[in-house]
Amino acid sequence: MKHKNYPLKKNTFKSWDKVFENPRPIKLEEFQTGSVIINKKGAINPEHPLAQDIKDEKLEVPILAYWIHHEGQGDYLLDAGLDKSYYQDPHGGIKNPLADEFIQKKDQNIKFHLEKKRIQLKCVFLSHLHPDHIAGIRELPKKIPYIIGKGEFNEYKPDDFGNFLKNLKILYEIDFSKIDEIPPLGPSVDLLGDGSLWSIFTPGHTPGHISFLVNGFNGPIFLTMDACFIHENIEKKIAPSSYTWNIKLAQKTLEKIIRFLKEYPQVKVHCGHE
Ligand SMILES: [Zn+2]
C-alpha cells in the first residue's frame, strides 16, 4: 500500500462564524453497524482530578458510521463501522485472542445499509484506524479513495486489529501541519471546498485522530468521533482513558472541543459511541 498526501483545497474561511453564515446542501445520516461493551470507568478517565465515583459499570454502546449526502457533490462515508463478519463471530474472523469483541445483529453491517439506500460512495474519510471504525472496509469498494490523518498509520497494528486495509492500493493522508488553523479548534480542512464538510485534527485518542463538522441547512453538527465516547465526557469535562494512545493529549483535545461548543452554542454535538 502506498501513502499519498490528500490534495487539499485552499481554505477561504477564516472563522467558524464565516463558515456558519454559509450553510450548504449537505445532510447526515447515522448507520449503526454493531455495538460494543465498554466500561464507564475508562470511557471517563477515573484518574482525572474532577472524576468522582466513576462507577465500574458496563455500557453497551453503538458502533457507528455516518453517511454524508451533498446535493451537488454526491455521497461520502465517515468511518466504515463493521462488515458482516461480526454477525456470527464476535472477533470478525481475526485469529488473535487480543482481537476486540463486537456484537452485531443481522443486517447491521455497513454494506447492507449502503445497498438498501443505493448509495454510490465517492470516498471514505476515516476518523482513525481502530477496528470498530475500519473493519467495514473489507466489504466496501476498493477503487475509491480512503483518507486518514497523517501520523495515524504508525500506530496501526494489523496483527491485533485485523488486516482491514489489506486490499487498498493507496491510503491518502491529510497533513494537518500544513493547514490553517481556525480558532479555537486548530487545523481544520474544508474537505469539499465549499465549507460543507470539515475535518478537524483532534489527536490524543490516536496520533492522527480526526473529528468532523457538517455545515448543513439544519445547523452545524460536530461529530467528535472517538475524541468523546459518550456525552458524559463533555458534561463532566473528562476525556476517555481506555483505548487511548495519549490520555493527556486526549484531555487537551476535549477541552478544545468544549471551548468551541461554548463559543458556538448553535452547534449540535454527536459523540463517537452514542
Ligand atoms: Zn477508537
Side-chain angles (χ1 to χ4, degrees), residues 127-133 205-206 209 226 229 242-243 273:
S127 64
H128 64 299
L129 296 179
H130 282 162
D132 50 328
H133 298 258
H205 180 69
T206 59
H209 187 275
D226 277 359
F229 293 175
S242 51
Y243 310 101
H273 289 282

Side-chain angles (χ1 to χ4, degrees), residues 25 69-74 122:
H69 177 74
H70 186 298
E71 248 167 55
Q73 299 199 46
K122 284 225 168 137

Side-chain angles (χ1 to χ4, degrees), residues 52-111:
Q52 281 171 357
D53 347 299
I54 308 285
K55 282 196 204 102
D56 201 338
E57 183 192 338
K58 286 189 171 139
L59 305 171
E60 184 175 335
V61 296
I63 294 173
L64 303 170
Y66 300 95
W67 166 38
I68 297 287
H69 177 74
H70 186 298
E71 248 167 55
Q73 299 199 46
D75 295 301
Y76 302 84
L77 200 60
L78 309 181
D79 280 352
L82 302 181
D83 69 340
K84 72 172 187 316
S85 39
Y86 291 88
Y87 171 50
Q88 308 276 19
D89 172 8
H91 289 117
I94 302 160
K95 304 274 180 276
N96 180 337
L98 291 174
D100 288 321
E101 288 189 21
F102 303 127
I103 303 156
Q104 191 181 57
K105 292 185 190 138
K106 192 170 164 32
D107 297 338
Q108 275 191 324
N109 58 300
I110 189 64
K111 194 178 175 191

